[in-house]
Amino acid sequence: MFQAQSRRREQLQNGEAASDRIELPWSDGYFAQLGLVLGVTYRSAAVLTGGADAPEPPDAGTEYVPTPEPGHRMPHLWLTPDHSTIDAVGEWFTLLTPDPDPWKRCVSPPWPLRVEPLPAEHLDACELSPHGALLIRPDGHIAARWPDGPPADSALRNALATLTGTGSDGRPYA
């Protein structure tokens, strides 16, 4: 800011016309913080990584690189022409899958869960097979990923119990 004010003062003193735009050497770096805002990665009990540390996306830092890895923000994708992954996230967990029926059979109370169809065109971007799924937390971060489908009928139930800190019956641990 001081550099901009100083440059403008010089222009006025020298009779120069003010430029419409002042480019400062640090402006691109200063405002290129999308990676710090959208690229936050969580590693906690509220993220299931399958026992392995997920690799960091390339160019982590100020540049935002969307990734479908658990712990990262769900990339923005269009599910229908007027409904995106951002719209799909609700008050509870959301499951995105190209094959909703088998996953709906895995859902049971006490946890409310929305199952949303994921268009096949996004399989590569989400690193999923035609039967895989991403479990999205209410804050838009990926809680778990099953690339090839549910490993067992209880996988989704167990994941929700772990993520919410409750038993498989939905009651909090004592």
Side-chain angles (χ1 to χ4, degrees):
M1 180 176 77
F2 293 118
Q3 289 174 335
Q5 289 175 339
S6 176
R7 175 70 180 123
R8 180 63 184 130
R9 233 183 330 273
E10 288 174 20
Q11 288 174 333
L12 290 172
Q13 289 172 352
N14 296 332
E16 296 176 36
S19 61
D20 291 337
R21 191 169 179 213
I22 297 175
E23 291 291 333
L24 300 175
W26 51 267
S27 63
D28 287 340
Y30 182 78
F31 293 108
Q33 302 297 314
L34 211 48
L36 297 175
V37 176
L38 297 178
V40 171
T41 304
Y42 289 100
R43 295 286 180 252
S44 72
V47 174
L48 305 178
T49 60
D53 286 333
E56 288 298 317
D59 301 317
T62 58
E63 184 178 338
Y64 173 59
V65 180
T67 178
E69 293 293 332
H72 292 265
R73 183 177 298 278
M74 176 63 199
H76 178 263
L77 302 168
W78 288 103
L79 303 174
T80 67
D82 59 350
H83 186 71
S84 77
T85 53
I86 294 171
D87 303 317
V89 174
E91 293 179 20
W92 200 243
F93 290 91
T94 302
L95 190 85
L96 296 172
T97 177
D99 191 16
D101 291 335
W103 288 97
K104 285 180 183 176
R105 287 192 294 271
C106 296
V107 177
S108 60
W111 303 281
L113 175 74
R114 180 183 309 139
V115 179
E116 293 267 347
L118 181 70
E121 66 200 49
H122 299 313
L123 291 179
D124 288 340
C126 293
E127 299 177 12
L128 297 175
S129 76
H131 305 289
L134 292 171
L135 182 61
I136 314 302
R137 299 182 336 192
D139 65 357
H141 284 79
I142 300 169
R145 178 174 56 171
W146 294 277
D148 300 312
D153 286 345
S154 61
L156 184 55
R157 184 176 190 73
N158 292 341
L160 288 167
T162 300
L163 294 166
T164 58
T166 59
S168 60
D169 60 358
R171 294 184 188 162
Y173 290 123

